[in-house]
Amino acid sequence: MATIFSKIVAGEIPSYKIAEDDKHYAFLDINPVAPGHTLVIPKKEVSYLFDLSDEEYTALQLFAKKVALAMKKALPCERIGVTVIGLEVPHAHIHLVPITTEGDMNFSKPKMTLDPTEMAEIKEKITKYIN
Ligand code: AMP
């Protein structure tokens, strides 16, 4: 059965798309730990990030770098934090989170729900900087 992220890639479930190429997709996390929190995934369905081949893993990280650089330009933050958890959705993904303090990367605190207008504005800001 297709994962929820494969359904997003297929357009069966809506997303706030940030970037896409033939093998990768980036979109805003629906329940961010900080505004602008973005997920970067391979289109190929692999449950665990480290099950990707070296070539697939490297290509995904380079795609994530492109997205992170755009996020840093677009959003007020010191850095773009990077983490991999993967306990909720069994489709490899990298979390990119705009941070100013370490606490901004705390995945144990209650997640946010931003209104659709704010999500759309964040998407617009970041995509402006995607080449
Ligand atoms: P984890 O698998 O623990 O790394 O977390 C999965 C992440 O996917 C969580 O941060 C969720 O908020 C996020 N998520 C789940 N469903 C969606 C969706 N439909 N659109 C965007 N993000 C989602």
Side-chain angles (χ1 to χ4, degrees), residues 28-29 31-38 71 74-77 79-80 96-99 104 109 111-114 118-119 122-123 125-126:
L28 294 181
D29 194 297
N31 292 124
V33 296
H37 177 177
T38 296
M71 290 170 65
L75 304 170
C77 60
R79 295 276 165 123
I80 302 302
L96 299 177
V97 183
I99 56 169
D104 295 334
K109 70 184 181 192
K111 299 230 193 130
M112 301 173 180
T113 305
L114 305 180
E118 195 174 352
M119 293 289 272
I122 292 169
K123 169 194 153 85
K125 280 186 191 162
I126 302 172

Side-chain angles (χ1 to χ4, degrees), residues 5 7 9 15 19 23 26 35-37 46 53 61 64-65 70 77-79 86 89 93 101 104 115 117 123 126:
F5 289 172
K7 289 181 181 168
V9 171
S15 70
K23 295 202 168 96
H37 177 177
V46 171
S53 70
Q61 291 288 1
K65 178 180 177 184
C77 60
E78 282 295 317
R79 295 276 165 123
V89 178
H93 53 281
T101 69
D104 295 334
D115 72 58
T117 311
K123 169 194 153 85
I126 302 172

Side-chain angles (χ1 to χ4, degrees), residues 4-5 8 13-16 27-33 37 39 83-91 93-95 107 111-112 119:
I4 187 163
F5 289 172
I8 285 174
I13 292 177
S15 70
Y16 296 92
F27 56 105
L28 294 181
D29 194 297
I30 203 75
N31 292 124
V33 296
H37 177 177
L39 300 174
T83 197
V84 174
I85 302 176
L87 292 174
E88 187 185 318
V89 178
H91 185 137
H93 53 281
I94 297 170
H95 294 262
F107 280 75
K111 299 230 193 130
M112 301 173 180
M119 293 289 272

